[in-house]
Every structure is written in structure tokens, then in C-alpha cells.
Amino acid sequence: MKVGIIGAGMVGGATANALMLTGAAQEIVLVDARAERAVAEAEDVLHATPFAHNVVVRAGDYEDLGGSEVVVLSAGVSQQPGETRLHLLERNAAVLGGIIPRVLRAAPDCLLLMASNPVDVMTLMALRLSNLPPERVIGSGTILDTARFRARLAGHLDVAPSSMHAYVLGEHGDSEVLCWSQAAVGGVPALRYAEQIGRPLTAEVQATIDEDVRRAAYRIIQGKAATWYGIAGGIARIVGAIGRNERAVLTVSAVIDEPHLGPPVALSLPRVIGRGGVHQTLAPHLSAQERKLLEHSAKVLREAAGG
């Protein structure tokens, strides 16, 4: 599968590397306003292919995106220390408006995968700018938040993160919702399993995990100015699910347009992902409090998008 990446900064470069290391793509084209940066990143990733997969990695311009099945949009300005993702909106929206028409002229049949923050609002804007079917415009959403939740919860319960089933829904940001009611280990509710092994998930423990997951990006930004490895891994997972037509359930952001729920909004829910994008959106059974928090998250995102 051919994948284009717009923006060869830290996220774009790390994404190219993750796609190569996992073999999720067979050809990768990096495009950046700074051509020399795209060339350097492509060459650096290419030099690692003998240790992983035989992937064609090169720099190019928009016309070189022809035939791309997925185009990852990672161009934009970075989140600054103390700045929320939503504060990035005005700055990154202008960048997006100049990119999407050029992408679609070269690769009209591609799926757009948004990685720039604030990813949910940017996903909504990408859908509006592209006029593509909603299933072909998705954002990385809370795939990384979900991974953080599973890893943190698995650590407390002393099981492999891959054996954890738990989701973070809503905004990829401050109003995100950790769904404790649906967290499970091997089909056993996490709260019950924790009691069985003598490591109860008390209100205090849950609050600590919640804070750890919710503030993870801020801690990383404070320490090294930006995040890139985790989200690159998440993007590679999404691309792999598309290319292999896995129909994997992943928490990605996509637009919900149901008039009885209010104006359209992009947010994360568990979605079946395969070739062509979103095949189905799941409706998880949430507690009353979780549903209230998810509705609040949707409201936050609608207000940010001007809806």
C-alpha cells in the first residue's frame, strides 16, 4: 500500500519510521513545505529498511501522491507548553485549507487520516474542505489515549496491555472520557478482576490513573516540547488496519452527523476500521455518568468548531 505523509516534522518523520518498521506500507512519500526536511527524513528512514521491511521511502511533491490509498495529514504548528490542543485551532486550520485541495487533485481516491491537533476539530474541517464521504476522513482521535489507559491499567493489574480491553472516548484532549465501566481483562470486568487479585481499583486509584492518562501529553511536552513516538505508533496501527482490511475496532475520530444530536461533531468512539476507512461505529454501553461526560465532550468540540 502507498501512503503519503504531509508534514515531515517530528510526527511525520516518526510516522514514516513506524510505517516502515511495522510493514504497514510498501511505499511512503513524504511531502513538506521545506523540501530539504522531507528529503532528509526520507533518507534517514530508508537507511533503516535493511533492518526491518523492504519499503520504498522517498520525498516528493503533491503530484507524487498519486495512487496513495492513505494520506496522513501531520502538517501544522506544534502545541506549546501550557497550550491546550484547542488553542491550536485557528493556526492549524489555515494550514489545512491550503493542503487538502492539492492532496485530492493528486490522489482523489485516498483516505485522509488527520494527525494534526486539535485533531477532532481538524477532522471535521477536513471533511468539510474535502467533500469526501465521512468514512474516508478520520482522525487519530483517542487511539493513543486508549493505549495509555490500557498500559496504565494493565500495570496496576499486572497483566499484558494487549490483554486489556478499555477505551477512551470523546475528545482527544481535556474533556476525554475514560470508560471504566467497560474496562475488562479476558472478559472479566476490570473492577471485579482487581478485587480478585487483591489490587482494588479504588476511587483514589482510578483518579490517579485518570489524571496520569489525561495529562500525559502535557508532561511530555513539558519535558521535550512535543510528542511523536506514541502517536506515530497509533497512526501506523490505523494504516495497517486499513491496508490489511482488518476490520479492527479502534478508537478513531470521525464525524457524527445526526440532526437529533445537534450540529455535526467529530469525536472518538470504537469504530470498525478496514479498507476504505470506517465500516461501522459502535455504541458502547456506558454508565449514566460516562454518557453525561461524553455529551459534555461533544459540546466542547461543537463550541470549538463554532457549531
Side-chain angles (χ1 to χ4, degrees):
M1 180 170 69
K2 182 176 180 179
V3 176
I5 300 174
I6 308 299
M10 300 307 296
V11 171
T15 295
N17 194 52
L19 291 171
M20 182 276 297
L21 289 174
T22 59
Q26 287 69 57
E27 181 179 358
I28 302 167
V29 178
L30 282 156
V31 178
D32 196 279
R34 302 162 296 166
E36 68 279 5
R37 177 62 186 254
V39 170
E41 288 289 349
E43 185 175 5
D44 199 9
V45 173
L46 180 66
H47 292 166
T49 56
F51 309 121
H53 295 274
N54 183 24
V55 179
V56 175
V57 187
R58 61 191 176 94
D61 209 333
Y62 285 89
E63 58 265 24
D64 297 301
L65 297 173
S68 296
E69 189 168 337
V70 177
V71 175
V72 179
L73 303 174
S74 63
V77 294
S78 299
Q79 187 175 357
Q80 301 300 310
E83 182 181 35
T84 69
R85 295 177 181 93
L86 293 179
H87 287 154
L88 291 173
L89 177 59
E90 186 173 343
R91 294 192 291 155
N92 273 338
V95 174
L96 190 64
I99 289 173
I100 287 181
R102 301 179 71 184
V103 168
L104 293 180
R105 278 196 294 271
D109 298 323
C110 75
L111 181 152
L112 297 179
L113 176 49
M114 177 59 61
S116 300
N117 279 318
V119 68
D120 302 294
V121 180
M122 296 289 279
T123 299
L124 176 62
M125 290 190 169
L127 179 66
R128 290 171 173 170
L129 287 167
S130 67
N131 290 314
L132 290 174
E135 63 271 15
R136 285 174 52 196
V137 180
I138 62 179
S140 55
T142 59
I143 192 168
L144 179 54
D145 307 277
T146 289
R148 289 166 174 162
F149 186 25
R150 291 180 179 182
R152 189 66 175 80
L153 191 51
H156 178 79
L157 299 177
D158 196 24
V159 297
S162 58
S163 295
M164 285 298 317
H165 293 276
Y167 298 103
V168 177
L169 308 179
E171 178 199 1
H172 172 54
D174 297 336
S175 70
E176 65 189 27
V177 182
L178 279 65
C179 295
W180 290 94
S181 68
Q182 297 300 302
V185 181
V188 179
L191 294 173
R192 185 184 304 164
Y193 180 80
E195 293 289 343
Q196 290 175 1
I197 64 171
R199 306 191 71 176
L201 286 162
T202 62
E204 182 179 358
V205 171
Q206 290 186 45
T208 298
I209 292 175
D210 185 291
E211 179 70 8
D212 186 68
V213 172
R214 197 178 300 276
R215 303 296 300 178
Y218 293 109
R219 292 194 306 274
I220 295 169
I221 290 168
Q222 187 65 39
K224 66 172 196 174
T227 67
W228 54 83
Y229 295 126
I231 190 57
I235 294 168
R237 179 70 187 95
I238 297 168
V239 171
I242 294 167
R244 293 185 290 268
N245 197 26
E246 289 183 22
R247 288 173 168 77
V249 177
L250 304 172
T251 51
V252 299
S253 186
V255 175
I256 297 175
D257 187 4
E258 300 180 20
H260 67 284
L261 295 178
V265 64
L267 50 71
S268 286
L269 290 169
R271 291 186 163 95
V272 179
I273 303 299
R275 192 168 296 278
V278 178
H279 288 239
Q280 187 69 43
T281 296
L282 282 62
H285 181 71
L286 305 177
S287 70
Q289 178 63 11
E290 289 166 349
R291 183 157 297 282
K292 181 178 179 180
L293 290 171
L294 185 58
E295 290 171 355
H296 170 71
S297 190
K299 180 180 178 182
V300 168
L301 290 167
R302 285 193 179 96
E303 290 175 351

